[in-house]
């Protein structure tokens, strides 16, 4: 605690919240004292490298390469992914993997390589090991995609976990993506990125990109191919990236570089090579299929401001209905709780919560409750007493339970890295379901304790179960929210097996998609935050978390009506659409008065109506994400990673295979340039056709953002009668198209059959022609049973 911290703490103690201030100061002191006593000083360290190769032991799927001071285990799994681990590290145990490690590919074994090295040859990649421990990932044609230099460890002379560094090189033209949800992405430029959920802490590098969901996952796209690399360690660390530079014909390229520094944990890695779709499929097979959200969760959800009560919730929902604004869920924040218990509702303000929930459900609106991991330390409370009896709270290294500070006062934190604690905690969600809630969103799950100096994580020396292995918070911090989401998901599955659990998390790690989605509520304010929202959702999708979205704040002193509308237009095309603010309260109405305000209200109505119209398409994308790992939101290079111009485009995205969305990210803009991939694209507002690849200039009035449909696309949309119809965009002459539809009107766990449709021209210009749409099946094509509406027949085309 330095002098400035002390001054801030004294100001807080002297304010109206003196009691809270004293608790926060005391918690900060305890945290520092616990770390000083529980984390031994590193002292002198000894550097180590693998040394020269000594021998090789081949086995099914790979083998073991022994060096003078380390050994390397290599395994090719049946799904095509390649694993390697140093110092005897294996794929398990791992919080990232969904179940057991995939079986080894029996067709693969270590074999001699050039210059005295060894290699394994898989279907989509070759991994070669040099005599001194460098690891190369090559394409089947022999082009090097990534070269991992021999690692280096720093081991404390007196014992303890070793720090390690892994330096890597990629092609000069390569672009980096991933590392979780990064506001500066999706393309990650030169800089240092911290792998510590919840932002920077003391001593973190200046200028780093803060994120609530971090993971050591890199997706690297180059001319030669795409690969994903995952270093499976949940410890605190940093990744320093530098893009390469081509020699402009001189032949002296500077490769791109990645330097991963971890404070501990095993040095082990998974690599997948192929097209982006194949890479994400392999990643999903390793870390688990994304949880399927209920259909209502793909609609419009809203978080009212303030604590509120039952009547205020009714007025808010009535306000949406009176203004013909679609609404599918209302999220209740911490204000609906009694303030001293985690799962208990304030009965004075919500005396008949079950009745309210049933009324809203009849109108198609669900209630969602916030849950925080902090448990008020109140003896006599059922949750606190139950956790104490279970010995289920995180402890200091010296033994006492870690105590922090939250809005409710002094709190303790469940240790979700214990299966026993997860089962105990998950059981509490049954009570919330009985109160009428249909879903849950987790807040402050990094986990966070409030101090006089802002939010801080638990002491780094705090002890966790880590599935019985034991360890401290340096290893458990990043997986804490993942384990909390797992506890909720498994508890909900046990309590209501016929319904899909709905769990949103603020933080997470690799594999968090197995249990739900991510809400990005802390991207900031202003126009930069709008761009950051798109970057974060795109980056999460490339790391295997497809269901995500930002909070769209209602206009206030920091959010103008224009910014609100542009943010809403973007969010309406993202998987999670969640608005925030007291829209219909006098203090929070987003459009106050005048013609401009009324226009914003009308435009917002059109945006939400369009989201409702596209709901069948979002349902289809959700099912496809579960089955293939492909995100809803995809960068423009998704189907053509070799196109360099697309790799550098960050202000537009593909929504599935059929749509291209170009949001407006700058104030005052009524036109914008859009880069189109190869093929025919239709402006859905004007019907005008464009031929890609091209960059076109299109109108972007305040009422809408440019959205393009791929020529030949068959798009499931909601019809005027509420049923699903097929919106077909005419393919270019001489070409065909198609699309998929997954019918799903419920919230159950069934796996509906995928309907496949094709589109083509029939006839000739001279004899008369028409666009034909057929449902594809084993016995050939047949007429679709759904209504079909063909668009783009005017063929007014233009080239950029």
């Amino acid at each position: 605690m330095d002098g400035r911290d002390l001054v801030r703490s004294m100001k807080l103690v002297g304010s109206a919240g003196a009691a809270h201030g004293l608790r926060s100061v005391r918690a900060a002191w305890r945290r520092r004292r616990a770390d000083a006593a529980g984390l031994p000083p590193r002292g002198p360290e000894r550097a180590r490298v693998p040394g020269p190769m000594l021998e090789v032991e081949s086995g099914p799927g790979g083998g073991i390469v022994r060096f003078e001071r380390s050994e390397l285990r290599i395994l090719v799994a049946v799904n095509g992914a390649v694993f390697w681990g140093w110092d005897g590290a294996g794929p398990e145990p791992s919080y990232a993997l969904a179940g057991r490690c995939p079986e080894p590919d029996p067709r693969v074994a270590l074999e001699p390589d050039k210059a005295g090295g060894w290699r394994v040859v898989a279907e989509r990649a070759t991994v070669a090991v040099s005599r001194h421990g460098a690891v190369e990932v090559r394409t089947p044609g022999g082009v090097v995609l990534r070269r991992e230099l021999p690692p280096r460890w720093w081991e404390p002379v007196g014992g303890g976990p070793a720090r390690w560094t892994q330096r890597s090189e990629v092609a000069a033209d390569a672009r980096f993506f991933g590392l979780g949800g990064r506001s500066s992405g999706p393309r990650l430029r030169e800089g240092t990125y911290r792998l510590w959920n919840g932002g920077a802490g003391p001593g973190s590098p200046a200028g780093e990109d803060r994120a609530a969901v971090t993971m050591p996952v890199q997706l690297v796209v180059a001319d030669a191919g795409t690969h994903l690399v995952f270093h499976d360690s949940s410890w605190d660390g940093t990744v320093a990236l530098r893009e390469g530079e081509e020699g402009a014909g001189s032949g002296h390229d500077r490769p791109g570089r990645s330097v991963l520094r971890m404070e501990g944990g095993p040095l082990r890695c998974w690599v997948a090579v192929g097209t982006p779709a194949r890479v994400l499929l392999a990643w999903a097979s390793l870390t688990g299929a994304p949880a399927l959200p209920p259909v209502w969760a793909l609609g419009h959800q809203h978080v009212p401001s303030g604590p509120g009560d039952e009547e205020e919730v009714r007025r808010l929902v009535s306000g949406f209905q009176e203004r013909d604004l679609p609404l599918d869920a209302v999220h209740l924040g911490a204000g609906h709780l009694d303030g001293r218990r985690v799962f208990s509702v304030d009965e004075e303000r919500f005396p008949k919560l079950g009745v309210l929930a049933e009324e809203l459900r009849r109108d198609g609106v669900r209630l969602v409750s916030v849950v925080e991991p902090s448990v008020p330390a109140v003896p006599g409370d059922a949750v606190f007493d139950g956790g104490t009896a279970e010995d289920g709270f995180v402890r200091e290294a010296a033994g006492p339970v870690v105590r922090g500070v939250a809005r409710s006062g002094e709190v303790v934190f469940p240790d979700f890295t214990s299966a026993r604690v997860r089962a105990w905690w998950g059981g509490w969600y049954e009570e919330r379901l009985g109160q009428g809630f249909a879903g849950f969103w987790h807040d402050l799950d990094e986990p966070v304790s409030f101090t006089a100096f802002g939010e801080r994580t638990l002491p780094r020396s705090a002890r966790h179960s880590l599935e019985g292995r034991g360890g401290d918070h340096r290893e458990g911090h990043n997986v804490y929210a993942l384990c909390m989401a797992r506890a909720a998901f498994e508890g909900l599955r046990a309590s209501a097996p016929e319904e899909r659990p709905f769990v949103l998390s603020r933080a997470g790690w690799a594999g968090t998609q197995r249990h739900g989605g991510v809400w990005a509520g802390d991207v900031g304010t202003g126009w930069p935050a709008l761009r950051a929202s798109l970057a974060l959702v795109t980056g999460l999708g490339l790391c295997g978390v497809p269901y995500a979205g930002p909070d769209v704040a209602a206009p206030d002193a920091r959010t103008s009506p224009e910014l609100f509308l542009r943010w809403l237009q973007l969010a309406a095309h993202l998987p999670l659409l969640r608005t925030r603010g007291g829209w219909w309260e006098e203090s929070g109405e987003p459009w106050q008065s005048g013609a401009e305000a009324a226009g914003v209200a009308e435009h917002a109505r059109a945006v939400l109506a369009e989201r409702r119209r596209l709901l069948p398409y979002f349902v289809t994308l959700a099912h496809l994400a579960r089955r293939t790992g492909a995100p809803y939101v995809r960068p423009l290079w998704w189907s053509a990673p070799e196109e360099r111009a697309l790799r550098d485009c960050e202000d537009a995205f593909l929504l599935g295979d059929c749509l291209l969305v170009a949001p407006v990210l700058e104030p005052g803009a009524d036109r914008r340039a859009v880069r189109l991939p190869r093929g025919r694209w239709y402006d859905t507002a004007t019907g005008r056709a464009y031929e890609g690849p091209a960059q076109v200039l299109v109108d972007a009035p305040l009422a809408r953002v440019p959205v393009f449909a791929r020529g030949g696309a068959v798009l499931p949309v909601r019809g005027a009668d509420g049923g699903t119809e097929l919106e077909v965009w005419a393919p270019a002459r001489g070409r065909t198209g198609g699309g998929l539809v997954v019918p799903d009107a419920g919230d159950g766990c069934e796996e509906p059959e995928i309907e496949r449709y094709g589109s083509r021209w029939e006839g000739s210009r001279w004899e008369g022609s028409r666009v034909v749409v057929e449902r594809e099946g084993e016995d050939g094509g047949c007429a679709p049973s759904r209504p079909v509406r063909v668009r783009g027949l005017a063929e007014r085309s233009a080239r950029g």
Side-chain angles (χ1 to χ4, degrees):
M1 177 182 296
D2 59 22
R4 285 176 296 182
D5 286 342
L6 184 59
V7 170
R8 283 197 297 268
S9 67
M10 291 301 102
K11 289 181 177 179
L12 184 57
V13 170
S15 69
H20 186 279
L22 286 171
R23 283 194 298 265
S24 65
V25 172
R26 190 162 55 244
W29 277 109
R30 281 201 302 260
R31 178 179 181 272
R32 292 174 179 269
R33 186 174 64 248
D35 282 348
L39 293 177
R42 297 198 65 89
E45 294 180 318
R46 181 187 301 112
R48 173 169 63 90
V49 295
M53 184 184 296
L54 299 180
E55 61 179 356
V56 174
E57 178 183 331
S58 186
I64 297 175
V65 183
R66 294 186 175 87
F67 297 85
E68 185 177 60
R69 290 178 289 275
S70 186
E71 70 176 32
L72 176 67
R73 178 184 178 185
I74 300 182
L75 168 71
V76 179
V78 291
N79 65 353
V82 182
F83 169 85
W84 65 78
W86 288 94
D87 284 355
E92 301 175 26
S94 170
Y95 280 105
L97 297 186
R100 301 300 304 272
C101 172
E103 292 295 319
D105 188 338
R107 301 169 297 175
V108 177
L110 277 169
E111 60 185 48
D113 193 24
K114 59 185 178 181
W118 289 75
R119 67 183 183 183
V120 292
V121 180
E123 181 180 354
R124 301 188 187 100
T126 297
V127 177
V129 183
S130 76
R131 291 180 301 165
H132 294 281
V135 180
E136 285 187 352
V137 181
R138 306 171 185 162
T139 67
V143 179
V144 176
L145 294 176
R146 188 181 192 91
R147 185 169 188 265
E148 304 245 312
L149 304 177
R152 183 181 296 268
W153 294 266
W154 283 268
E155 301 170 331
V157 174
R163 297 183 296 122
W164 52 266
T165 295
Q166 178 66 71
R167 297 166 297 159
S168 310
E169 295 179 349
V170 297
D173 66 283
R175 297 290 182 263
F176 295 100
F177 301 86
L179 298 183
R182 300 287 172 170
S183 60
S184 62
R187 173 184 162 192
L188 303 177
R189 292 169 172 78
E190 182 170 344
T192 299
Y193 302 86
R194 192 179 182 195
L195 300 171
W196 187 257
N197 287 351
S204 58
E208 67 182 358
D209 183 27
R210 303 184 178 192
V213 183
T214 68
M215 56 185 83
V217 179
Q218 294 180 27
L219 188 69
V220 184
V221 183
D223 287 353
T226 300
H227 72 273
L228 179 146
V229 59
F230 168 53
H231 289 90
D232 191 356
S233 173
S234 63
W235 282 65
D236 191 6
T238 61
V239 180
L241 299 178
R242 188 187 72 181
E243 291 185 346
E245 184 176 338
E246 295 181 285
S250 67
H252 298 288
D253 291 349
R254 187 191 73 186
R257 295 186 183 275
S258 167
V259 180
L260 173 62
R261 295 183 173 89
M262 300 297 290
E263 293 300 312
L267 202 175
R268 55 186 180 179
C269 179
W270 283 95
V271 169
V273 177
T275 64
R278 284 185 177 272
V279 164
L280 267 294
L281 177 61
W283 178 239
S285 70
L286 283 174
T287 61
L292 188 65
V295 172
W296 59 262
L298 294 169
H300 173 215
Q301 306 177 54
H302 184 70
V303 185
S305 61
D309 57 25
E310 286 186 8
E311 291 309 311
E312 288 183 12
V313 172
R314 287 189 175 93
R315 285 199 299 271
L316 181 135
V317 173
S318 297
F320 276 92
Q321 294 172 339
E322 291 169 3
R323 292 161 178 81
D324 196 24
L325 290 165
L327 180 66
D328 297 274
V330 174
H331 291 226
L332 299 183
H336 81 284
L337 302 173
D338 69 3
R340 298 295 290 171
R341 300 172 66 188
V342 179
F343 291 100
S344 297
V345 174
D346 186 335
E347 295 183 356
E348 292 185 3
R349 289 183 290 114
F350 291 88
K352 297 181 179 180
L353 182 62
V355 175
L356 171 66
E358 183 59 31
E359 290 177 4
L360 297 183
R361 187 181 288 264
R362 287 197 296 266
D363 290 334
V365 180
R366 268 68 171 185
L367 278 182
V368 177
S369 171
V370 69
V371 177
E372 297 177 0
S374 51
V375 175
V378 180
D381 174 68
V383 180
F384 177 75
D385 290 347
T388 302
E390 292 279 351
D391 190 21
F393 297 121
V394 178
R395 291 184 173 272
E396 297 179 5
V401 172
V402 172
R403 292 181 179 256
V405 177
R407 288 182 282 253
S408 58
E410 193 169 62
V411 294
V412 293
F413 299 88
D415 183 5
F416 298 117
T417 67
S418 165
R420 176 173 46 81
V421 175
R422 287 196 297 269
W424 161 74
W425 183 266
W428 284 100
Y429 288 79
E430 183 175 7
E431 177 183 321
R432 304 296 276 163
L433 290 177
Q435 293 168 337
F437 288 103
F440 303 89
W441 56 291
H442 293 169
D443 196 6
L444 305 179
D445 52 351
E446 287 86 341
V448 164
S449 175
F450 290 92
T451 73
F453 326 116
E455 295 180 3
R456 290 291 187 269
T457 61
L458 301 190
R460 295 165 69 84
S461 59
R463 301 297 298 175
H464 292 273
S465 167
L466 295 174
E467 316 308 322
R469 294 181 289 109
D472 59 40
H473 197 62
R474 293 174 297 176
E475 182 178 1
H477 173 80
N478 282 339
V479 298
Y480 188 90
L482 167 70
C483 294
M484 181 181 178
R486 178 180 176 182
F489 184 85
E490 293 176 349
L492 292 170
R493 286 294 298 269
S495 301
E498 72 285 355
E499 297 183 7
R500 298 174 200 162
F502 178 70
V503 180
L504 280 180
S505 300
R506 182 167 98 160
W509 202 64
T512 197
Q513 76 280 353
R514 298 191 297 264
H515 315 303
V518 170
W519 65 279
D522 299 318
V523 295
T525 58
W527 289 91
L530 175 60
R531 186 179 293 270
S533 298
L534 174 57
L536 189 147
V537 174
T538 306
L540 284 173
L542 295 177
C543 290
V545 185
Y547 184 74
D551 281 352
V552 182
D556 56 19
R558 299 171 297 176
T559 305
S560 66
E562 180 193 10
L563 174 57
F564 163 77
L565 186 57
R566 293 306 194 188
W567 212 325
L568 184 65
Q569 290 166 344
L570 167 63
H573 295 92
L574 300 179
L576 171 63
L577 169 58
R578 194 170 90 154
T579 54
R580 180 183 287 271
W583 274 27
W584 309 118
E585 302 167 19
E586 292 182 1
S587 60
E589 191 172 346
W591 27 85
Q592 300 299 327
S593 60
E596 179 185 359
V600 169
E602 188 63 33
H603 297 332
R605 180 178 296 107
V607 172
L608 296 179
E610 177 64 8
R611 172 62 176 238
R612 177 62 58 89
R613 192 182 77 91
L614 291 176
L615 184 61
Y617 186 50
F618 276 94
V619 170
T620 296
L621 294 180
H623 279 275
L624 295 179
R626 177 166 179 79
R627 301 185 190 201
T628 70
Y632 310 37
V633 172
R634 308 167 187 178
L636 295 188
W637 48 261
W638 177 258
S639 298
E642 70 281 357
E643 295 287 343
R644 295 193 179 189
L646 299 181
R647 294 206 297 256
D648 295 336
C649 183
E650 301 177 278
D651 60 355
F653 61 92
L654 298 174
L655 182 59
D657 285 330
C658 297
L659 297 179
L660 186 155
V661 183
V664 175
L665 305 176
E666 297 177 353
D670 58 5
R671 304 195 79 194
R672 62 152 294 173
V674 181
R675 184 167 293 281
L676 301 176
R678 192 175 304 277
R680 172 165 291 187
W681 295 89
Y682 293 93
D683 186 326
T684 58
T686 66
R688 186 175 185 180
Y690 297 88
E691 298 295 332
Q695 179 166 297
V696 299
L697 188 64
V698 295
D699 292 333
L702 189 62
R704 61 178 176 85
V705 295
V707 177
F708 296 82
R710 189 189 300 272
V714 178
L715 192 72
V717 297
R718 180 186 175 100
D721 61 352
T724 299
E725 66 180 30
L726 304 180
E727 182 176 270
V728 182
W729 291 88
R733 297 279 180 173
R735 297 188 179 181
T736 61
L740 304 175
V741 179
V742 181
D744 182 3
D747 300 336
C749 299
E750 70 281 352
E751 294 282 348
E753 178 186 358
I754 297 179
E755 301 176 6
R756 303 177 184 275
Y757 294 91
S759 62
R760 59 182 174 83
W761 282 97
E762 185 179 79
S764 66
R765 292 173 182 259
W766 300 275
E767 299 175 355
S769 61
R770 64 191 182 102
V771 173
V772 175
V773 180
E774 295 178 325
R775 180 173 178 178
E776 301 172 357
E778 296 180 359
D779 301 328
C782 62
S785 58
R786 302 181 182 278
V788 176
R789 183 163 60 99
V790 180
R791 300 186 61 184
L793 294 177
E795 293 196 30
R796 293 185 300 145
S797 63
R799 290 185 176 272

